[in-house]
Amino acid sequence: VQLQASGGGLVQAGGSLRLSCAASGRTASSYHMGWFRQAPGKEREFVSVISWGIGDTDYADSVKGRFTISRDNAKNTVYLQMNSLKPEDTAVYYCAASAWFGSTSARYDYWGQGTLVTVSS
């Protein structure tokens, strides 16, 4: 499975961005898809995950109510709609695929290249 993340950029605090992650590969649509982020000098952290079937979702507490994950299986694409962005959301955002539904990065098998989100105050 190959993953290509896009949609990052510079936005002011309170603004919105939508990240996309295009998956390719024969079995791409059968994986759970997650978003993680890594801020400068910090460890990579879980943001959100969506299941491949009925679309169960989970979010980190820090983004609940502000971020929404969704997927279009016909397009093999996962989205992360980010609203009410804060400077502390600044990070490189990675999409990842896993046969396991959860928030542990070590359980994810495939990773995209990352897209930078910068939120100015």
Side-chain angles (χ1 to χ4, degrees), residues 38-80:
Q38 187 166 19
K42 295 187 177 181
E43 294 187 352
R44 189 173 298 186
E45 64 175 2
F46 168 76
V47 176
S48 184
V49 60
I50 187 166
S51 69
W52 73 270
I54 60 175
D56 287 336
T57 60
D58 192 20
Y59 296 90
D61 287 343
S62 58
V63 307
K64 279 181 181 176
R66 300 187 299 121
F67 291 10
T68 302
I69 191 170
S70 62
R71 67 189 299 165
D72 184 336
N73 285 334
K75 296 182 178 180
N76 278 349
T77 301
V78 177
Y79 304 97
L80 186 69

Side-chain angles (χ1 to χ4, degrees), residues 11-44:
V11 64
Q12 289 188 331
S16 298
L17 280 176
R18 189 177 79 157
L19 305 183
S20 299
C21 177
S24 60
R26 190 163 54 91
T27 60
S29 63
S30 63
Y31 283 85
H32 307 307
M33 297 295 296
W35 286 97
F36 292 78
R37 67 186 182 185
Q38 187 166 19
K42 295 187 177 181
E43 294 187 352
R44 189 173 298 186

